[in-house]
Amino acid sequence: MAELLLGESKLEQSLKEQPLRPGASPRGPRPQLTEVRKHLTAALDRGNLKSEFLQESNLIMAKLNYVEGDYKEALNIYARVGLDDLPLTAVPPYRLRMIAEAYATKGLCLEKLPVSSSTSNLHVDREQDVITCYEKAGDIALLYLQEIERVILTNIQNRSPKPGPAPHDQELGFFLETGLQRAHVLYFKNGNLTRGVGRFREILRAVETRTTQNLRMTIARQLAEILLRGMCEQSYWNPLEDPPCQSPLDDPLRKGANTKTYTLTRKARVYSGENIFCPQENTEEALLLLLISESMANRDAVLSRIPEHKSDRLISLQSASVVYDLLTIALGRRGQYEMLSECLERAMKFAFEEFQLWYQFALSLMAAGKSARAVKVLKECIRLKPDDATIPLLAAKLCMGSLHWLEEAEKFAKTVVDAGEKTSEFKAKGYLALGLTYSLQATDASLRGMQEVLQRKALLAFQRAHSLSPTDHQAAFYLALQLAISRQIPEALGYVRQALQLQGDDANSLHLLALLLSAQKHYHDALNIIDMALSEYPENFILLFSKVKLESLCRGPDEALLTCKHMLQIWKSCYNLTNPSDSGRGSSLLDRTIADRRQLNTITLPDFSDPETVSASSSSSSSLSRTESPLHLFMSPHLRSHPKLDTFVWPPAAHSFRDPGPRQEPSLCNSPEVYFHGFPSLFSVSSVHATSVAASRVEQALSEVASSLQSSAPKQGPLHPWMTLAQIWLHAVSACDTQLKRYKRWRVKSLHPALEPQPPSPAATTKKTPCAFQSNRTRSEVTA
């Protein structure tokens, strides 16, 4: 017995001093190992050991043979001992460890030995035997760790009534780590992703011990990465169910069972109960695993800055960074940007002088709509990485957006412009941001002289950006836009055509071209450009609003009303939440609509043949006949400025909504029922009733915005959908008002033709006197 204990202790001491490395081959015989062999041979030769101690001696001898590189002899010893028949019940914990190490050693020996035959079936059988050995080693290792922790805690509690010190972590060692981590690696290597995921889940479901905490964090992170990158919703299965027999995850050329081919007489304890949460989809399970890993990483973080802890701190930071990268992927897919920003805020204790974590935090704040805080974090990123020009450009974009910090945006843009040769490739973008800042400042300026000065600065900045990057379509577009604001329409047309040559499908450039053509009264050409743009962007409401205006001029208000109806259908389809991934906190397009479903349920699509949908309001028509600042038309909702200047694209002639066609005498074929194409009852009600209905329709859309702006506790969610709905109804009001005016003119012409002004006779034309001219003028005024 003493020889057995001496041999085992010296072998463990040798492995502790010169540990084995994964993937490395054993070094062969060594002097210290020779003494181990002598002790074990002496214990076996005496023949007075009990059967269980004899088995233990053989297991240690086989382990020694593997360390020395004699794989065949180790396998022969395991065959003689009958490794598969060793009992697991009613045995001490140390024996469980020896059996687990024996299965891991057997798997390593089988991997090292080449297959004697080239038959593929033998090769597959060998791979399955190796994986089975590793799985058994891992299962018994988990059982051993649970039992040894239970024994240690029991001994501490029985020793003293007072709470004892926390037990020390048990060292797994090379063989136990191999048994726990090697099986799923082989599954993934062989293309059996289903069994690999199943093996991960089996280890994670086992009751946790202090020794397996780091291992569980690593396995949870690896499983989350596989769920995010290698599994879709169709191939996902419940963790509590058996894996499918046929799965698209597996290699079709490799066939094998997706369930275990062995059973153990004793298994490790697993978490069970009625109230245990079970994920229902791959992203949900990945998010759960990553949140668990994040909590473990924060708990075990090494924050000490002393030199002795530098390596541990770097390992802790690297492990946490991988977890936060995967959290960014998982939460970004579901739109949970606010939750992501909260997670990254907890990571700030790792982030001293770490640019990556600061930059991720800033981007998450941007996506969550916390722009003011994002700008502050970006300032820290600029300090950490001053040579990166993209960071101040991003900060300038935020300042020009919803924050409207134009002075701060100007500083960030000048930082890029004045950076010198270090950021020469971004200098054009810097001038572009500087020009946008000046243009927005000109929009806000109250003095005419200051407006002109800022507009000249903006024009010079855009020209500089275009000269530095002549192939950038955005530089040409914003230069054209600034020229259009300055009422230089021909020059603006030239630059917007250059932008379209560089990027032919850019929606903003197409829209600007249409508006410039409409400013020159080429309404039909402008409408054709809008139709072409809508063929590429059919759900662009800005283009649709311009189409309504142009259709009222070119095709009549009836076509404009049909476009308004189409816009309402698009609005209902776009802002009706159907994607479950959009239900994230603070991220979905209609968060407040989910909270109050009645708001969408009460919205009905308009039927313009119904008299109650008539919207005739002269005040609304006049408000829509003038558009906002041109920057409002092309910049994103976060970059919209306050309307100060009248647009350059709707000349006064366009405000009158002139009848595009010549007037004809009333006849049966030109009756109002025929002229308005299916709207016979549109004007059968009084104009007062139609106006009141129109006002109620607009008020219904605007009340959603006003209630959020005026209430002491604003509802969550963006206002953009309701503002869009209000704009749609206002455009419908304008079109109805135009139709009503046309109908009134037709009625006046048909009922009182004598009131129509008559053309002057030839005699009066050839024989005019000042008095006759004065009398004719008086009659025309009376007629009017």
Side-chain angles (χ1 to χ4, degrees), residues 262-451:
Y262 67 92
T263 56
L264 296 177
T265 57
R266 189 179 177 188
K267 298 180 180 179
R269 298 188 306 274
V270 297
Y271 292 107
S272 61
E274 296 180 356
N275 298 324
I276 292 181
F277 172 76
C278 182
Q280 300 299 321
E281 59 174 349
N282 59 332
T283 309
E284 196 173 78
E285 183 177 355
L287 184 58
L288 174 64
L289 294 169
L290 291 173
L291 290 176
I292 294 173
S293 301
E294 187 225 358
S295 64
M296 298 174 71
N298 285 328
R299 181 190 61 192
D300 302 331
V302 179
L303 304 179
S304 176
R305 307 297 299 182
I306 61 177
E308 291 79 2
H309 294 165
K310 182 178 180 180
S311 60
D312 295 336
R313 187 178 68 251
L314 292 177
I315 293 173
S316 177
L317 173 63
Q318 184 179 6
S319 178
S321 299
V322 174
V323 173
Y324 286 114
D325 290 343
L326 294 174
L327 268 174
T328 303
I329 296 174
L331 293 174
R333 286 184 180 180
R334 300 187 65 87
Q336 299 276 358
Y337 300 114
E338 185 175 350
M339 187 176 181
L340 176 61
S341 64
E342 293 174 358
C343 293
L344 290 172
E345 186 175 3
R346 293 193 293 268
M348 287 295 101
K349 63 182 180 180
F350 299 99
F352 180 72
E353 300 294 329
E354 292 294 334
F355 170 79
Q356 178 67 18
L357 288 176
W358 280 101
Y359 195 52
Q360 281 184 328
F361 186 37
L363 294 178
S364 66
L365 290 173
M366 285 178 55
K370 303 175 182 179
S371 302
R373 196 175 179 193
V375 171
K376 295 180 180 179
V377 178
L378 285 174
K379 288 181 180 179
E380 178 66 17
C381 295
I382 294 173
R383 186 189 68 82
L384 294 174
K385 207 170 183 180
D387 296 336
D388 192 348
T390 60
I391 305 173
L393 287 174
L394 196 59
K397 180 181 178 181
L398 285 177
C399 293
M400 284 186 290
S402 57
L403 297 177
H404 210 66
W405 296 350
L406 299 183
E407 290 78 9
E408 290 287 331
E410 182 180 355
K411 292 179 182 177
F412 286 123
K414 287 183 177 179
T415 301
V416 181
V417 171
D418 300 336
E421 297 298 328
K422 295 181 180 179
T423 59
S424 58
E425 65 272 16
F426 292 101
K427 187 167 288 188
K429 293 293 184 182
Y431 278 108
L432 191 61
L434 190 61
L436 281 171
T437 304
Y438 287 143
S439 184
L440 291 172
Q441 288 176 347
T443 304
D444 290 344
S446 57
L447 298 178
R448 183 61 178 269
M450 182 60 67
Q451 288 181 0

Side-chain angles (χ1 to χ4, degrees), residues 604 606 610 612-615 692-702 729 733:
T604 56
D610 185 357
E612 291 190 357
T613 61
V614 177
S615 301
S692 64
V693 171
S696 65
R697 291 289 187 178
V698 177
E699 182 182 2
Q700 180 181 2
L702 290 175
W729 277 108
V733 167

Side-chain angles (χ1 to χ4, degrees), residues 111 127 182-193 251 254:
E111 273 196 285
E127 289 181 348
R182 186 63 180 165
H184 54 262
V185 174
L186 293 179
Y187 277 129
F188 296 142
K189 182 179 179 181
N190 297 335
N192 194 343
L193 195 62
D251 187 356
R254 292 178 177 267

Side-chain angles (χ1 to χ4, degrees), residues 210 230 263 352 450 489 523 572 621 633 637 727 748 751 773:
R210 291 178 57 87
T263 56
F352 180 72
M450 182 60 67
I489 306 301
Y523 302 121
K572 191 170 183 179
S621 175
L633 297 174
Q727 287 290 325
V748 169
L751 296 178
F773 178 76

